[in-house]
Amino acid sequence: QVQLVQSGPEVKKPGASVKVSCKTSDYTFTNYAISWVRQAPGQGLEWMGWITTYNGDTDYAHKFQGRITMTADTSTSTAYMDLRSLKSDDTAIYFCVRDFLGQGNWFDPWGQGTLVTVSA
Amino acid sequence: QSALTQPPSASGSLGQSVTISCTGTSRDVGAYEYVSWYQQHPGKAPKLIIYEVVKRPSGVPDRFSGSKSGNTASLTVSGLQAEDEADYYCNSYGGSDNYVFGTGTKVTV
């Protein structure tokens, strides 16, 4: 079945960068966008942005613009999210999701999540 | 874009029904038929249970139903079961290629 498998947990210092990967399988990668969503400890879900995998177009939520980059490698059906200038309140679980952008606009399925801890 | 407003908690007994509201604006929930709902159990990734306001993915029990009126969408869980105890989040497409999530509702059975 369709799967999104993410890279493992990360611990970073404030000011550093983190890159999370999301390897997809069992569907045509370029037919769907990938969105990234994060969840701080005990908090709700926050949409960060999407990438259209067939051409690399991106759209980021305003609060992340300037320090986030999403990319997609069509040869390996893998998406990446790079977040820079990390702060302690970036500590969260980061999820990648298959995004039915322009096809009804919903998310399914979700990756298992990657915990990113930002601490001095 | 501000988060959609959901009640922090809702509860019901086994077999009863519970309805969760999701209030947005005329720029998101009120503007598009693109509201989806997600169920999240502790320590797990969210799971899609409703998309395009009223549609259920295959495998989701018909106890889950969605609706929308104006700027407010709703999720109803009928015939509550123990496994329905979870956090629920709504999401709406908000135009300009953006999405917004609801604040989340903890359902207790």
Side-chain angles (χ1 to χ4, degrees):
Chain A
Q1 75 275 21
V2 174
Q3 280 194 305
L4 284 68
V5 178
Q6 300 182 222
S7 48
E10 303 266 10
V11 179
K12 297 292 182 181
K13 294 194 181 305
S17 299
V18 69
K19 190 169 188 175
V20 180
S21 67
C22 171
K23 183 164 178 58
T24 71
S25 59
D26 286 334
Y27 76 94
T28 302
F29 183 65
T30 51
N31 283 357
Y32 301 88
I34 293 286
S35 268
W36 290 86
V37 176
R38 77 177 186 180
Q39 185 171 38
Q43 302 300 308
L45 302 173
E46 180 177 33
W47 178 77
M48 301 177 71
W50 53 249
I51 179 168
T52 52
T53 52
Y54 75 96
N55 65 358
D57 281 354
T58 55
D59 190 61
Y60 305 134
H62 289 307
K63 71 177 288 185
F64 299 107
Q65 288 180 1
R67 67 183 190 107
I68 192 170
T69 302
M70 296 179 186
T71 55
D73 182 343
T74 57
S75 69
T76 60
S77 300
T78 302
Y80 299 89
M81 187 279 299
D82 188 358
L83 189 62
R84 302 176 291 279
S85 303
L86 290 169
K87 301 166 285 190
S88 58
D89 61 4
D90 290 318
T91 293
I93 298 173
Y94 290 76
F95 296 98
C96 61
V97 297
R98 185 174 62 164
D99 184 345
F100 286 68
L101 181 68
Q103 305 176 59
N105 301 321
W106 71 87
F107 307 129
D108 181 60
W110 293 58
Q112 85 274 20
T114 296
L115 175 62
V116 176
T117 303
V118 183
S119 174
Chain B
Q1 207 160 16
S2 299
L4 308 176
T5 301
Q6 297 180 231
S9 63
S11 64
S13 301
L14 287 170
Q16 288 188 333
S17 295
V18 66
T19 296
I20 302 165
S21 60
C22 168
T23 301
T25 70
S26 59
R27 297 182 303 278
D28 39 59
V29 175
Y32 304 96
E33 300 302 301
Y34 295 141
V35 175
S36 52
W37 289 88
Y38 302 87
Q39 177 192 61
Q40 186 179 33
H41 288 108
K44 300 292 188 181
K47 172 191 170 186
L48 175 72
I49 55 172
I50 295 287
Y51 65 100
E52 291 182 324
V53 181
V54 297
K55 298 178 180 178
R56 266 179 295 106
S58 61
V60 173
D62 60 6
R63 304 182 289 102
F64 294 91
S65 61
S67 63
K68 192 185 84 161
S69 177
N71 297 337
T72 298
S74 298
L75 171 73
T76 297
V77 187
S78 306
L80 274 169
Q81 300 189 6
E83 60 263 34
D84 299 333
E85 186 160 294
D87 294 327
Y88 292 83
Y89 294 91
C90 60
N91 178 275
S92 176
Y93 180 72
S96 301
D97 297 324
N98 276 275
Y99 292 98
V100 59
F101 279 100
T103 50
T105 298
K106 181 176 181 60
V107 169
T108 302
V109 180

